[in-house]
Amino acid sequence: MVEGAVRMDNLSMTGAAGTTRIEGVMAAISERIAARSLVPGARLPSVRSFAKTMQVSVSTVVEAYERLAAEGVIRSRPGSGFYVCGPLPPLSLSETGAKSGRNVDPLWISRQSLEVGDDALKPGCGWLPPSWLPQAALRKAMRTLARGDIGVLANYGTPLGLPPLRQLLARRLGEHGINVPPDQIMLTESGTQAIDLLCRFLLEPGDTVVVDDPCYFNFHALLRAHRANVVSVPFTPTGPDVELFGQVLERYKPRLYITNSAIHNPTGAALSPVTAHRLLKLADASGLIIIEDDIFADFEQVPAPRLAAYDGLDRVIHIGSFSKTLSASIRCGFIAAKPEWIDDLVDLKVASSFSCGQVSAELVYLALKDGSYRKHAEALRVRLAKAMDEVAARLEAIGIVPWLKPHAGMFLWCRLPEGLDAADLARACLAEGVILAPGNVFSLSETAGRFMRFNVAQSADPRIFDVLEASMRKLRAIRKDAAASGLTAAQRFTGDTSIS
């Protein structure tokens, strides 16, 4: 053996089922680098000797080495061979575990849900399980795109976005009474980017924005990033409390109101026609601009009123995306607004992100125009309705009561038993691998401490309800013990025994 090279005679092809020979060679090397049996600077065996050891072809080892070099795991020295790169990052006990010590703030749910592994239970997250999405349509769209014009894969998209998708969106919006031509629709990277662009376009630091209480927690985070003054109005089963809404308009003179149309997040409620008309009258009298987020449109059984349909896109800006019903990985959203705003928004989009993702837009277009998508949406609505009934019954059996029975969608907004705090319950369940969505992250006034949002599509595993029930018993015991010792339940739970 050449001096400085590493012996690897004991390696064999032991990859999991479905692993290719190339991946098996890569895994064998990577595992020993991770275990520190191959240290930085160590020379790997020659291609031919390693091929003999692994009982694979020389071309297999060449391709494995090249892929590892592309990933930065090893490097090639012409005329000398391949060597382990270094230095290596420090060992970590866990890179995927949720950080339970983080404060329960508006970003708590997103961080917990996105940082954990796939084995975690996520009844608090805001998306469907992968198995509920139209996998066949997505794979078909990707194959079609891969075989198509290379320009789609290589070039920037047009400023407004893919014309055929905007034409399709115009027809879909027309089904909800929103009559808008394609040139008044601008594609974005996501629904979140749509709101971010609109805030950049419409707001100055210190401007006041109205939100529902409760509302989607990321509205809070985005508006805070834009240094807006945020005020909230209590949300009822038919929409915001109109009387209080009028008082807020008179007192604070807000610039914007941001809300969900159709299916409200987190409550699952729907705007009534009467409330919609009263809101628009107030907005017209006060000069208020409304952004309605219609991200859950395809979950509806019976269409609810759209403010943009009643308003004709005068003071209302309508946005949406496809992350909930198609794929959260394919980032594509849209803004529908009056022409003079769209023109300025295109300039802002070019300045801030130059273009929207051409590949994502093409994939969305191919999937939506496929005849199977409508069948998928119909089946999804039936499946969600069944899950809604089942999860509501399971929750009620352990004392967690829905605020209302939504007409559609995937969220249940539920009240916890007397004496339990949702943030404490979320922390207790997180320690058991269950991620929940405590109410106050949705509430600007922090008046939802006894509420929890449940995603029924993510709540099929019976372990969720076992953990909930056990954690509630634990918190009741802690509360009882805390009362006897003079500490708060939160202090007993977190171990903070300081008396303020």
XYZ file of all heavy atoms in Angstrom, residues 411-467:
435
model
N -57.964 23.334 9.746
C -57.667 23.806 11.086
C -58.869 23.726 12.023
O -59.997 24.046 11.639
C -57.180 25.259 11.056
C -55.881 25.450 10.333
C -55.725 26.481 9.428
C -54.807 24.584 10.554
C -54.522 26.661 8.754
C -53.605 24.758 9.891
C -53.466 25.796 8.980
N -58.600 23.311 13.259
C -59.547 23.393 14.366
C -58.961 24.316 15.422
O -57.839 24.097 15.900
C -59.779 22.011 14.979
C -60.835 21.103 14.347
C -60.807 19.741 15.024
C -62.226 21.720 14.453
N -59.697 25.345 15.775
C -59.298 26.300 16.813
C -60.024 25.871 18.086
O -61.250 25.908 18.154
C -59.701 27.704 16.388
C -59.340 28.841 17.282
C -60.212 29.708 17.874
C -58.030 29.298 17.638
N -59.536 30.673 18.583
C -58.181 30.446 18.464
C -56.744 28.851 17.362
C -57.096 31.143 18.995
C -55.664 29.541 17.891
C -55.851 30.661 18.698
N -59.251 25.429 19.071
C -59.853 24.726 20.209
C -59.513 25.396 21.543
O -58.423 25.948 21.728
C -59.361 23.278 20.249
S -59.848 22.322 18.802
N -60.472 25.281 22.479
C -60.291 25.804 23.839
C -59.853 24.662 24.756
O -60.464 23.594 24.791
C -61.595 26.417 24.340
C -61.482 27.051 25.733
C -62.804 27.621 26.217
N -63.169 28.835 25.496
C -64.115 28.908 24.574
N -64.810 27.820 24.253
N -64.389 30.046 23.965
N -58.810 24.917 25.534
C -58.311 23.933 26.493
C -59.163 23.950 27.759
O -59.864 24.934 28.035
C -56.861 24.230 26.853
C -55.836 24.223 25.714
C -54.451 24.571 26.255
C -55.811 22.876 25.017
N -59.105 22.892 28.558
C -59.819 22.884 29.834
C -59.365 24.031 30.747
O -58.236 24.531 30.643
C -59.447 21.529 30.432
C -59.094 20.673 29.265
C -58.456 21.597 28.282
N -60.240 24.424 31.634
C -59.977 25.508 32.588
C -58.668 25.239 33.340
O -58.390 24.123 33.775
C -61.134 25.616 33.585
C -61.020 26.768 34.561
C -61.237 28.105 33.894
O -62.074 28.172 32.968
O -60.578 29.080 34.304
N -57.866 26.306 33.460
C -56.649 26.213 34.255
C -55.407 25.790 33.492
O -54.303 25.795 34.059
N -55.532 25.434 32.224
C -54.372 25.026 31.434
C -53.934 26.147 30.502
O -54.761 26.812 29.878
C -54.687 23.781 30.614
C -54.857 22.473 31.394
C -55.193 21.342 30.429
C -53.599 22.138 32.181
N -52.620 26.346 30.403
C -52.059 27.356 29.515
C -51.495 26.664 28.276
O -50.740 25.686 28.372
C -50.943 28.126 30.232
C -50.310 29.168 29.334
O -50.900 30.252 29.190
O -49.229 28.894 28.763
N -51.844 27.179 27.095
C -51.453 26.526 25.845
C -49.943 26.514 25.638
O -49.394 25.545 25.117
C -52.139 27.218 24.666
N -49.258 27.583 26.051
C -47.805 27.618 25.889
C -47.131 26.560 26.757
O -46.191 25.883 26.330
C -47.275 29.010 26.223
N -47.610 26.408 27.994
C -47.061 25.359 28.877
C -47.318 23.972 28.286
O -46.438 23.102 28.309
C -47.703 25.449 30.264
C -47.242 26.674 31.034
O -46.223 27.281 30.648
O -47.914 27.030 32.026
N -48.522 23.772 27.757
C -48.854 22.477 27.162
C -47.997 22.213 25.928
O -47.530 21.081 25.707
C -50.336 22.441 26.792
C -50.854 21.125 26.199
C -50.628 19.960 27.156
C -52.345 21.242 25.842
N -47.736 23.261 25.133
C -46.903 23.091 23.936
C -45.480 22.696 24.316
O -44.877 21.836 23.673
C -46.900 24.380 23.119
N -44.942 23.306 25.374
C -43.586 22.957 25.814
C -43.545 21.519 26.332
O -42.598 20.778 26.052
C -43.123 23.917 26.900
C -42.874 25.349 26.436
C -42.172 26.145 27.531
N -42.106 27.556 27.202
C -42.965 28.472 27.642
N -43.983 28.088 28.420
N -42.842 29.740 27.306
N -44.547 21.134 27.101
C -44.582 19.774 27.645
C -44.671 18.743 26.527
O -43.985 17.711 26.557
C -45.767 19.632 28.605
N -45.495 19.006 25.521
C -45.644 18.054 24.413
C -44.413 18.051 23.508
O -44.076 17.008 22.933
C -46.898 18.384 23.611
S -48.435 18.039 24.499
N -43.745 19.190 23.367
C -42.528 19.242 22.560
C -41.467 18.301 23.111
O -40.743 17.647 22.353
C -41.992 20.682 22.512
C -40.720 20.904 21.688
C -40.954 20.552 20.227
C -40.251 22.350 21.814
N -41.388 18.202 24.438
C -40.432 17.294 25.060
C -40.728 15.832 24.714
O -39.849 14.973 24.814
C -40.446 17.484 26.581
N -41.970 15.548 24.281
C -42.368 14.191 23.896
C -42.428 14.023 22.372
O -42.975 13.047 21.869
C -43.744 13.863 24.500
C -43.806 13.973 26.009
C -42.843 13.011 26.704
O -42.662 11.893 26.178
O -42.272 13.380 27.748
N -41.884 15.013 21.638
C -41.837 14.899 20.186
C -43.107 15.282 19.465
O -43.317 14.885 18.314
N -43.977 16.065 20.118
C -45.228 16.516 19.497
C -45.211 18.049 19.449
O -45.096 18.711 20.482
C -46.465 16.034 20.284
C -47.743 16.602 19.674
C -46.515 14.514 20.293
N -45.342 18.598 18.252
C -45.273 20.050 18.067
C -46.680 20.611 17.936
O -47.444 20.234 17.042
C -44.439 20.404 16.829
C -43.005 19.931 17.027
C -44.477 21.903 16.554
C -42.153 20.025 15.796
N -47.022 21.528 18.842
C -48.349 22.136 18.884
C -48.289 23.610 18.506
O -47.202 24.186 18.375
C -48.949 21.977 20.282
C -49.186 20.538 20.761
C -49.672 20.530 22.199
C -50.188 19.823 19.855
N -49.448 24.207 18.348
C -49.565 25.618 17.961
C -50.363 26.365 19.027
O -51.588 26.458 18.951
C -50.253 25.736 16.607
N -49.684 26.897 20.070
C -50.393 27.573 21.161
C -51.030 28.889 20.725
O -50.495 29.608 19.876
C -49.285 27.798 22.199
C -48.013 27.776 21.426
C -48.234 26.841 20.281
N -52.174 29.196 21.334
C -53.023 30.279 20.861
C -52.423 31.656 20.840
O -52.686 32.431 19.922
N -51.595 32.009 21.832
C -51.124 33.384 21.899
C -50.140 33.761 20.801
O -49.892 34.950 20.593
C -50.514 33.682 23.273
C -51.556 34.151 24.266
O -52.672 34.523 23.882
N -51.228 34.138 25.543
N -49.573 32.795 20.086
C -48.731 33.177 18.950
C -49.585 33.757 17.824
O -49.078 34.453 16.950
C -47.881 31.998 18.420
C -47.018 31.411 19.509
C -48.735 30.924 17.774
N -50.895 33.488 17.836
C -51.809 34.028 16.843
C -52.486 35.314 17.320
O -53.153 35.977 16.529
C -52.917 33.013 16.533
C -52.436 31.683 16.030
C -52.189 30.647 16.912
C -52.229 31.460 14.678
C -51.760 29.398 16.459
C -51.802 30.225 14.208
C -51.553 29.193 15.099
N -52.342 35.637 18.582
C -53.111 36.724 19.194
C -52.211 37.894 19.579
O -51.368 37.765 20.470
C -53.852 36.209 20.434
O -54.483 37.257 21.122
N -52.408 39.031 18.915
C -51.628 40.217 19.246
C -51.912 40.682 20.660
O -51.022 41.145 21.379
C -51.943 41.335 18.248
C -51.091 42.596 18.374
C -49.655 42.313 17.949
C -51.676 43.724 17.510
N -53.149 40.551 21.111
C -53.527 40.984 22.464
C -53.185 39.952 23.525
O -53.368 40.201 24.709
C -55.036 41.263 22.508
O -55.763 40.060 22.255
N -52.700 38.776 23.077
C -52.352 37.676 23.977
C -53.524 37.290 24.881
O -53.381 37.070 26.076
C -51.103 38.021 24.803
C -49.866 38.229 23.950
C -48.592 38.332 24.761
O -48.675 38.500 25.997
O -47.507 38.261 24.154
N -54.691 37.183 24.251
C -55.902 36.777 24.968
C -56.330 35.356 24.601
O -57.453 34.956 24.894
C -57.054 37.753 24.663
O -57.237 37.839 23.246
C -56.749 39.142 25.221
N -55.431 34.610 23.941
C -55.773 33.252 23.501
C -54.916 32.218 24.219
O -54.572 31.188 23.646
C -55.616 33.128 21.991
N -54.601 32.496 25.479
C -53.739 31.594 26.237
C -54.328 30.222 26.479
O -53.595 29.267 26.740
N -55.644 30.076 26.376
C -56.295 28.771 26.555
C -56.671 28.114 25.231
O -57.384 27.117 25.217
C -57.547 28.923 27.411
C -57.298 28.955 28.919
C -58.618 28.961 29.665
N -59.437 27.798 29.354
C -60.765 27.749 29.520
N -61.424 28.818 29.962
N -61.440 26.646 29.226
N -56.178 28.671 24.117
C -56.551 28.128 22.810
C -55.355 27.442 22.141
O -54.194 27.754 22.411
C -57.086 29.237 21.902
C -58.504 29.632 22.218
C -58.770 30.554 23.214
C -59.567 29.070 21.528
C -60.073 30.922 23.526
C -60.876 29.427 21.824
C -61.127 30.346 22.817
N -55.687 26.515 21.244
C -54.682 25.773 20.495
C -55.230 25.511 19.092
O -56.414 25.213 18.926
C -54.389 24.438 21.193
C -53.151 23.727 20.704
S -51.629 24.405 21.400
C -51.671 23.715 23.068
N -54.355 25.671 18.077
C -54.769 25.326 16.710
C -54.273 23.938 16.362
O -53.093 23.627 16.543
C -54.191 26.329 15.705
C -54.731 26.150 14.278
C -53.892 26.896 13.255
N -52.596 26.251 13.040
C -51.664 26.710 12.203
N -51.875 27.815 11.509
N -50.515 26.067 12.070
N -55.180 23.100 15.847
C -54.822 21.746 15.433
C -55.022 21.599 13.925
O -56.058 22.007 13.383
C -55.678 20.706 16.157
C -55.351 20.575 17.611
C -56.032 21.339 18.555
C -54.363 19.710 18.043
C -55.737 21.231 19.908
C -54.049 19.592 19.390
C -54.741 20.357 20.329
N -54.037 21.005 13.267
C -54.120 20.657 11.854
C -54.640 19.230 11.774
O -53.952 18.278 12.130
C -52.727 20.772 11.226
C -52.699 20.412 9.757
O -53.606 19.786 9.226
N -51.631 20.809 9.084
N -55.871 19.066 11.300
C -56.504 17.741 11.339
C -55.802 16.746 10.419
O -55.803 15.539 10.670
C -58.007 17.827 11.004
C -58.733 18.701 12.015
C -58.253 18.319 9.579
N -55.191 17.250 9.338
C -54.492 16.354 8.423
C -53.223 15.781 9.037
O -52.737 14.739 8.614
C -54.146 17.093 7.130
N -52.689 16.482 10.041
C -51.459 16.043 10.704
C -51.743 15.399 12.061
O -50.819 15.188 12.845
C -50.517 17.242 10.910
C -50.017 17.886 9.630
C -48.805 17.191 9.037
O -48.346 16.171 9.555
N -48.261 17.739 7.963
N -53.008 15.098 12.342
C -53.390 14.613 13.670
C -53.951 13.201 13.656
O -54.732 12.828 14.527
C -54.429 15.571 14.287
O -53.900 16.871 14.425
N -53.544 12.391 12.701
C -54.084 11.036 12.608
C -53.433 10.070 13.594
O -54.058 9.079 13.995
C -53.911 10.506 11.184
N -52.216 10.342 14.008
C -51.489 9.411 14.869
C -52.068 9.428 16.282
O -52.115 10.483 16.928
C -50.007 9.795 14.911
C -49.121 8.683 15.457
O -49.458 8.149 16.533
O -48.100 8.370 14.828
N -52.519 8.289 16.811
C -53.119 8.262 18.154
C -52.158 8.672 19.262
O -52.593 9.055 20.343
C -53.566 6.807 18.317
C -52.799 6.033 17.293
C -52.555 6.959 16.158
N -50.844 8.614 18.993
C -49.877 9.033 20.011
C -50.051 10.497 20.380
O -49.746 10.900 21.511
C -48.451 8.791 19.507
C -48.050 7.316 19.410
C -46.660 7.187 18.829
N -46.606 7.645 17.446
C -45.473 7.838 16.758
N -44.305 7.627 17.355
N -45.513 8.243 15.491
N -50.534 11.305 19.434
C -50.741 12.726 19.711
C -51.689 12.910 20.882
O -51.430 13.702 21.803
C -51.275 13.441 18.453
C -50.204 13.462 17.358
C -51.740 14.858 18.783
C -50.721 13.924 16.009
N -52.775 12.188 20.877
C -53.796 12.353 21.909
C -53.342 11.733 23.228
O -53.694 12.236 24.301
C -55.112 11.754 21.415
C -55.535 12.319 20.094
C -55.253 11.653 18.899
C -56.179 13.542 20.022
C -55.613 12.188 17.682
C -56.543 14.090 18.807
C -56.253 13.410 17.628
N -52.533 10.675 23.157
C -51.962 10.109 24.377
C -51.015 11.106 25.038
O -51.049 11.299 26.265
C -51.192 8.815 24.057
C -52.104 7.692 23.574
O -53.318 7.754 23.862
O -51.599 6.768 22.908
N -50.162 11.759 24.222
C -49.227 12.754 24.757
C -49.980 13.960 25.301
O -49.650 14.491 26.378
C -48.221 13.182 23.670
C -47.409 14.400 24.118
C -47.283 12.028 23.329
